[in-house]
Amino acid sequence: MKPKIVVTRKIPQQALELLERTASLYVWEKEDKVMPRELLLKEIKDAHGLYSMLADRIDTEVMDAAPHLRVISTMAVGYDNIDIAEATKRGIRVGHTPDVLTEATADLAFALLMATARRLGEGMACIKEGKWKNWSPMFMAGQEVYGSTLGIIGMGRIGEGVARRAKAFDMRILYHNRTRRLEAEEKLGAVYCSLEELLDKSDHVVLLTPATKETYYMMGAAQFARMKRTATFINVSRGTNVDEDALYRALVNKEIWAAGLDVFEKEPIPPSHPLLSLDNVVALPHIGSATVQTRLRMAMVAAENVLLGVKGERLRYTANPDVYASLL
């Protein structure tokens, strides 16, 4: 019999066809809704593989309901929604999709930086609301990007992608990371510094850290208070890395210039959220990797991961490589 794979969201047809060649599928077809928890627990009982999304909470309860589960493959680079320690303990491989979304997400981060610094959202609203009446010397004046100082918090693949784009804008690049990235320093001229120094000196701060216990609310009132009053703050990492109340106060009190946000602590963010009421906030619905080409590549990598996992083979990208030692 074919192994069963549960797919928690409608995925591109090309990836679906790849899975159907060797597996029996249950696919939750609704693109705009998370698969109901009770349905997931029901369908996963006899499943060998799980093809999941970032919005799916994969915890002990799910794994308890799936005695035959060999692999969890998420169509995302992040996997903080999955209990990695529990999966590893049970010998369940966890796959994810790094690398393939690096450039698309770096594009989006830099686009947010430009839009925020140059007040593009405000400018569009000005036209749509009929407020563009005449010209004056400081009308819609923003902050310069070319030749300014960029601070990157988290110099991983995406951080290096943002730095490459910044280099083309002749920006001075500062970065803070758990460990120094000597290759980035050599190739991109990035300068390693403490978080405090980065916040003090940067004209634009881009947050690109994973969601961990250490990074939870790493950007709060104290950090925003250190930033320049003309500085922009960009978050394309995880919403839990930022104290949104503190960010709101910093923006309202003009402690920082503006913020560009692609992620939020609770998603989808409600339209009534205080941050969305501010003119100096550019907000997006978590679309960092959302290009047609990148999403297709992510879908295919996730499909490859889950197929390798149900066959008991090493995944193309493994979030919990320690699992292989436990399988020996």
Side-chain angles (χ1 to χ4, degrees), residues 99-111 158 161-162 164-165 236 262 287-295 297-298:
D99 292 345
V100 294
L101 51 68
T102 296
E103 301 305 332
T105 308
D107 277 350
L108 193 281
F110 210 83
I158 298 171
V162 172
R164 287 195 299 274
R165 287 154 179 76
V236 289
D262 186 45
I287 56 172
S289 62
T291 68
V292 172
Q293 297 83 356
T294 295
R295 288 288 170 86
R297 287 194 293 268
M298 291 171 67

Side-chain angles (χ1 to χ4, degrees), residues 11-16 18-19 51 53 73 75 97 100 293-305:
I11 59 175
Q13 187 64 28
Q14 190 174 336
L16 198 62
L18 177 62
L19 295 175
Y51 187 122
M53 305 293 155
S73 179
M75 191 178 142
T97 61
V100 294
Q293 297 83 356
T294 295
R295 288 288 170 86
L296 178 57
R297 287 194 293 268
M298 291 171 67
M300 294 302 290
V301 169
E304 292 168 16
N305 275 336

Side-chain angles (χ1 to χ4, degrees), residues 36-238:
R37 180 81 170 180
E38 61 275 12
L39 183 59
L40 173 59
L41 294 173
K42 174 187 174 183
E43 290 295 336
I44 206 170
K45 286 182 178 179
D46 57 348
H48 303 86
L50 174 61
Y51 187 122
S52 65
M53 305 293 155
L54 192 60
D56 301 310
R57 179 167 52 88
I58 312 302
D59 55 13
T60 300
E61 183 184 28
V62 173
M63 296 181 216
D64 282 343
H68 308 293
L69 194 63
R70 301 173 189 167
V71 58
I72 300 165
S73 179
T74 183
M75 191 178 142
V77 62
Y79 42 82
D80 47 289
N81 59 311
I82 301 171
D83 189 333
I84 294 293
E86 188 64 31
T88 304
K89 185 171 70 175
R90 296 172 186 241
I92 299 172
R93 300 159 175 83
V94 178
H96 64 142
T97 61
D99 292 345
V100 294
L101 51 68
T102 296
E103 301 305 332
T105 308
D107 277 350
L108 193 281
F110 210 83
L112 264 178
L113 190 159
M114 294 285 291
T116 304
R118 295 301 304 273
R119 305 173 66 179
L120 301 193
E122 291 179 73
M124 181 177 291
C126 177
I127 293 175
K128 287 186 173 183
E129 295 168 9
K131 295 179 180 178
W132 185 22
K133 302 299 183 182
N134 50 40
W135 181 90
S136 64
M138 300 304 290
F139 175 65
M140 293 301 303
Q143 301 295 333
E144 288 193 343
V145 175
Y146 187 88
S148 62
T149 298
L150 172 66
I152 299 174
I153 306 173
M155 186 64 89
R157 297 180 184 90
I158 298 171
E160 290 189 9
V162 172
R164 287 195 299 274
R165 287 154 179 76
K167 190 174 182 181
F169 278 70
D170 199 27
M171 299 175 82
R172 180 191 181 204
I173 303 167
L174 306 178
Y175 80 98
H176 178 73
N177 202 56
R178 285 177 296 182
T179 56
R180 290 187 66 170
R181 300 298 299 271
L182 298 180
E183 187 175 349
E185 294 178 21
E186 181 180 346
K187 290 184 176 181
L188 301 169
V191 176
Y192 178 80
C193 62
S194 67
L195 178 59
E196 292 73 19
E197 183 180 0
L198 182 148
L199 295 174
D200 289 343
K201 295 181 177 180
S202 297
D203 297 305
H204 309 282
V205 174
V206 179
L207 183 60
L208 291 164
T209 57
T212 65
K213 291 180 180 178
E214 293 73 27
T215 61
Y216 182 76
Y217 277 19
M218 69 176 297
M219 288 297 296
Q223 288 71 39
F224 293 123
R226 295 195 74 110
M227 292 173 60
K228 297 179 181 180
R229 297 180 74 87
T230 54
T232 65
F233 172 72
I234 311 299
N235 186 16
V236 289
S237 60
R238 286 290 183 267

